[in-house]
Amino acid sequence: MKPNILDTHLLYKNYGPSVALDGVSLGIEAGDAVAIMGASGSGKTTLLHCLAGIIRPDGGHVDFATAQGPLRVSSLSESRRSQLRRESFGFVFQQGLLIPELTAIENVAIALMLTGAPRPAAEQSAAAWLAAMGLQGLEARRIGELSGGQAQRVAIARAQVTGASVIFADEPTGALDSATSNEVMDVLLDSTVRSSKTLVLVTHDQSVADQCRRIIQLRDGRIVSDSDTATADANRPDQASLTGRTQ
Amino acid sequence: MSSVVVPETRQRSTATVPFRLLWLLSRPGTSSRAVSVLPVVAFGVVTALMLGVLGGARSFWSWDDELSGIYRVLSGIAVALLVVPLLSVGGSAARLSARRRDDRLSTLRLLGATPAVVSTMTVVESTLLALAGALLGVIGYLAMMPALGLIQFRGEPLGIGSLWLGVPAIAAVVVAVVVLAAVSAALGLRKVVVSPLGVRTRQAAPKTHWVRIVVGLAVIGAVSLSMGMLSAAPGMAVVTGILLGGSAAALAVLNVVGPFVISVTARRQVRKASTPQRLMAARSVLESPKAAWRQVSGVAMTSFVAVFGGTGVAIADAAGSGASRGSSEYFLMGDIRTGVLITVLASFLMVAASAGINQAAAVLDRTDLYVNLDRLGMPESVMNAARIRSVMSPLLLVGIGSALCAAVVVFPLTGIAILVAPLSVLVIGASLAAGIVLVWLALMVTTPVLRRVLAGASAPSSSAAQ
Ligand SMILES: Nc1ncnc2c1ncn2[C@@H]1O[C@H](COP(=O)(O)OP(=O)(O)O)[C@@H](O)[C@H]1O
Ligand SMILES: [Mg+2]
């Protein structure tokens, strides 16, 4: 059993009258791949946003394990959470939402430049990550010139390039057809779990969730089930990380 | 926005649909408040400026002596110069409304509205906003009159009375502003309807041919040469004629060369950019150099005219110091300088209004992207710096570039001017700088729009889920 990289305790979140999270307590092991499932409106995105410090819960707290000890994400200021997100976390959303006027490589490099890296070094890392995503030769393309699957892979590269220890993905394949979706999931899993990074993945799709080691089901803002999957053994974090693609 | 009214909407005749939908959807939301306030303010500024300048111009028309002809021509030029920025404010406001249209498109589709209905609705809406702004502008004009009345021409204050345009003329200006708004909304919308994402999804950045710059330089050179012969030209009228012709030619050249220079500069900035904000700003200029040019071309004209007019005045000032104190020739040059300053200021105010609106629209256009970048941990300050830089950088380029261009064209005269009348030249330079600061302020004013967009993403009032 590895230590938890993220811990939540009794998270509550309301949006006016609607209850988005209703007492969620959850620990996520370092290097694990966790799928969050549930009907639309069950609170998946809200949970992900609380975990990642995008929003603050109304009640409860979120702790992130750092080398210097646990960091209470839920009580950090807006700017400290912003810094945490750009330095320690990576994000992939349903729509890549890449900056349309930048090229693929610039979109990736900018994530690193935001942490203070000089541009040449940032572009070098970005190029390596794009190549790892199978996008060699497309570095100078603008986002409009990429397919949906390619754009998502650029987004994955952007999430990874800073060496984030946790990758958050909210329905990353939700807008893709199933073949493309499989490719993108492969790349995502390959670059996270098999490199001992932690993946928290929100999805509707059972077959996508099945590729993770652990599945959490939400209903009305509560965890209704929490189980290991069949692929658990194959993806067990302590047996993986052979590719060791570190950044 | 509710869709409860569907059955009722379908039963009525279609002719009034746009108006009823407009009414239905006009409830204020978080973003729509900025969307309607900004155009109203902008049209208000435009109308007030237009009325003020026309009032001043009108007071010249009441004079009749040997120089009144020159005053009339010059005031006509000043008014004409203000029409370009006026049009661009209209276009910006229309774009902001178009943004609002996109917001509502899904709701409208649910209500069974056709694209034509949606377009009509948007045009009606921008027209109404323009009307509200124009009426505010009339109030602003009335409020400004005492201050404007203090401006001196021919050694005397204009006086409130001579600035009063009369009700029919004021009504005509209001109607003109509203019609302009309607037309530019319709034109602007047609572009949006053809391609909702036109600018963003275009595959390759447009190229501008280098031939343009060669032709441009040649024309500027030719004009400059003819200016060289100017000093020998006899008579005020000929000098004025050559100056006007030369500036018209040079302005035409600027229009051709401007987008090219902007794109070349932006390309270089993309290569050199060392921070995220610089890179984003340069890329966004490069995305559409023509749009960047359109945004700041009003400034190009103005700074060109400022240098031209300012230099002319400086020369004549020095040369004409022989004119007897108190004669009408004695005042003419000072008055032209005053006129140039007023025109520069008014034009910058309009460019500022239009830049402010455009930036607000751009932020709203990209709500999803900004929210997402915020989630990734991009600081708001970086996003803000990028978008402000993307206007300021072409603005500085164009403002300073066209001023230099004008200086080259009138080089034989400028050289002397700087020697004999450094003060006039300084004043013109200072007014250009003030104008640039004004535009920057207008951009800063749109920062809360970005802040609200980012805050709205996690607030209960924004659209639910995801
Ligand atoms: N910004 C918001 N404003 C109002 N309600 C929201 C907001 N975000 C989420 N909700 C509500 O919270 C509940 C959970 O939403 P969400 O976490 O997005 O669910 P999921 O991602 O599972 O579809 C839903 O009822 C949703 O309507
Ligand atoms: Mg969701």
Side-chain angles (χ1 to χ4, degrees):
Chain A
M1 184 87 179
K2 284 210 173 177
N4 287 346
I5 191 162
L6 283 165
D7 265 305
T8 78
H9 180 70
L10 287 176
L11 290 182
Y12 289 90
K13 182 77 188 175
N14 295 337
Y15 286 104
S18 78
V19 179
L21 291 181
D22 193 10
V24 173
S25 297
L26 170 72
I28 293 174
E29 277 178 47
D32 205 356
V34 181
I36 301 173
M37 297 195 72
S40 176
S42 57
K44 307 182 293 294
T45 296
T46 307
L47 175 58
L48 186 101
H49 285 186
C50 283
L51 283 169
I54 291 173
I55 56 172
R56 278 167 146 165
D58 297 337
H61 52 76
V62 176
D63 288 325
F64 171 57
T66 67
Q68 292 80 41
L71 186 64
R72 182 137 301 178
V73 176
S74 46
S75 48
L76 294 176
S77 70
E78 177 63 52
S79 67
R80 281 285 289 116
R81 278 183 285 129
S82 175
Q83 185 191 1
L84 183 71
R85 296 199 295 270
R86 68 178 166 266
E87 288 176 356
S88 306
F89 298 154
F91 297 90
V92 186
F93 299 107
Q94 178 168 16
Q95 308 287 337
L97 286 174
L98 300 155
I99 303 174
E101 59 270 17
L102 299 192
T103 62
I105 194 170
E106 287 164 351
N107 262 289
V108 177
I110 213 163
L112 209 46
M113 288 164 73
L114 280 173
T115 67
R119 181 157 170 210
E123 293 207 335
Q124 217 174 333
S125 299
W129 270 103
L130 286 176
M133 298 290 120
L135 295 175
Q136 212 150 16
L138 304 183
E139 292 85 353
R141 292 264 184 105
R142 289 144 51 81
I143 301 310
E145 300 170 308
L146 298 173
S147 70
Q150 288 169 338
Q152 261 332 42
R153 282 185 275 161
V154 173
I156 295 172
R158 176 176 68 178
Q160 301 273 14
V161 75
T162 55
S165 49
V166 187
I167 305 296
F168 294 95
D170 194 348
E171 311 205 20
T173 58
L176 304 175
D177 63 64
S178 65
T180 317
S181 156
N182 286 339
E183 281 169 36
V184 168
M185 271 313 292
D186 276 351
V187 174
L188 181 60
L189 285 167
D190 195 47
S191 61
T192 51
V193 180
R194 284 161 218 145
S195 317
S196 71
K197 288 183 178 176
T198 311
L199 174 67
V200 180
L201 170 78
V202 166
T203 181
H204 271 314
D205 185 336
Q206 187 67 46
S207 67
V208 168
D210 283 339
Q211 299 180 57
C212 294
R213 196 200 59 82
R214 177 183 176 193
I215 298 182
I216 290 168
Q217 292 277 354
L218 286 186
R219 189 187 304 141
D220 298 331
R222 291 187 201 176
I223 297 181
V224 290
S225 89
D226 184 346
S227 57
D228 292 357
T229 59
T231 51
D233 290 335
N235 278 353
R236 191 79 209 166
D238 23 39
Q239 292 168 13
S241 80
L242 300 174
T243 43
R245 186 185 294 120
T246 46
Q247 245 315 248
Chain B
M1 289 190 268
S2 88
S3 48
V4 185
V5 282
V6 172
E8 193 202 0
T9 311
R10 291 221 171 111
Q11 281 155 16
R12 299 213 199 141
S13 79
T14 50
T16 58
V17 164
F19 298 93
R20 278 181 294 116
L21 287 179
L22 191 62
W23 169 249
L24 191 73
L25 295 172
S26 61
R27 294 167 208 150
T30 33
S31 69
S32 60
R33 204 168 312 127
V35 170
S36 34
V37 167
L38 279 165
V40 170
V41 169
F43 281 118
V45 168
V46 163
T47 309
L49 287 172
M50 214 56 201
L51 288 171
V53 170
L54 283 177
R58 195 207 72 103
S59 61
F60 299 154
W61 288 76
S62 61
W63 301 335
D64 65 297
D65 49 53
E66 79 277 21
L67 281 182
S68 61
I70 293 188
Y71 277 90
R72 288 175 192 182
V73 169
L74 291 177
S75 63
I77 292 172
V79 172
L81 274 174
L82 291 179
V83 168
V84 173
L86 173 70
L87 285 174
S88 94
V89 173
S92 316
R95 199 179 144 224
L96 199 56
S97 298
R99 166 65 214 167
R100 184 139 137 162
R101 182 198 71 124
D102 289 349
D103 274 348
R104 291 166 169 178
L105 212 52
S106 50
T107 316
L108 290 166
R109 288 258 162 84
L110 280 175
L111 294 171
T114 63
V117 169
V118 179
S119 305
T120 311
M121 206 187 102
T122 307
V123 173
V124 169
E125 184 180 48
S126 356
T127 310
L128 289 179
L129 291 178
L131 180 63
L135 294 177
L136 268 182
V138 172
I139 296 174
Y141 158 68
L142 295 177
M144 278 188 329
M145 277 175 62
L148 290 181
L150 296 176
I151 295 175
Q152 294 208 343
F153 279 100
R154 296 187 159 188
E156 305 167 9
L158 282 175
I160 296 188
S162 68
L163 286 170
W164 174 245
L165 284 167
V167 174
I170 293 176
V173 168
V174 168
V175 169
V177 167
V178 170
V179 168
L180 270 180
V183 170
S184 54
L187 292 179
L189 206 60
R190 211 185 43 192
K191 268 182 241 155
V192 178
V193 169
V194 171
S195 154
L197 294 173
V199 184
R200 306 239 175 284
T201 53
R202 200 184 34 239
Q203 306 271 295
K207 295 199 176 71
T208 324
H209 208 272
W210 59 266
V211 164
R212 286 182 163 204
I213 217 161
V214 174
V215 172
L217 287 176
V219 174
I220 300 250
V223 175
S224 179
L225 276 181
S226 64
M227 290 295 148
M229 294 178 249
L230 193 63
S231 21
M236 200 63 165
V238 179
V239 171
T240 311
I242 296 184
L243 275 174
L244 286 180
S247 66
L251 281 176
V253 169
L254 277 183
N255 231 330
V256 176
V257 171
F260 179 73
V261 173
I262 285 182
S263 82
V264 167
T265 312
R267 203 163 295 143
R268 216 174 54 101
Q269 285 169 339
V270 164
R271 270 198 309 275
K272 286 193 346 189
S274 57
T275 62
Q277 50 268 47
R278 280 170 190 271
L279 181 58
M280 287 162 72
R283 275 289 180 202
S284 104
V285 172
L286 196 55
E287 176 82 3
S288 178
K290 287 221 179 79
W293 167 253
R294 231 176 291 127
Q295 173 83 80
V296 298
S297 59
V299 170
M301 278 198 168
T302 311
S303 41
F304 198 89
V305 168
V307 170
F308 237 92
T311 311
V313 171
I315 304 294
D317 245 1
S321 47
S324 64
R325 197 165 227 306
S327 75
S328 34
E329 286 88 354
Y330 174 77
F331 287 120
L332 177 62
M333 290 305 142
D335 288 353
I336 293 181
R337 181 165 46 220
T338 310
V340 166
L341 284 180
I342 291 174
T343 310
V344 168
L345 202 71
S347 154
F348 268 119
L349 270 172
M350 290 202 203
V351 171
S354 137
I357 298 187
N358 271 341
Q359 271 304 304
V363 169
L364 295 173
D365 266 346
R366 318 186 91 187
T367 298
D368 288 350
L369 180 63
Y370 281 127
V371 165
N372 203 58
L373 292 174
D374 177 56
R375 287 178 182 161
L376 302 178
M378 180 179 286
E380 184 192 308
S381 57
V382 170
M383 302 180 215
N384 219 21
R387 65 186 191 87
I388 287 176
R389 184 178 278 274
S390 73
V391 180
M392 289 311 287
S393 150
L395 177 73
L396 286 172
L397 179 68
V398 162
I400 295 171
S402 47
L404 284 180
C405 206
V408 166
V409 165
V410 290
F411 176 72
L413 304 178
T414 334
I416 309 164
I418 292 172
L419 290 180
V420 298
L423 192 63
S424 286
V425 175
L426 254 180
V427 168
I428 298 296
S431 67
L432 287 180
I436 285 170
V437 169
L438 203 62
V439 175
W440 180 78
L441 281 176
L443 297 177
M444 293 305 286
V445 165
T446 61
T447 301
V449 177
L450 175 62
R451 191 159 301 148
R452 193 141 8 104
V453 157
L454 296 182
S458 53
S461 53
S462 84
S463 64
Q466 303 221 3

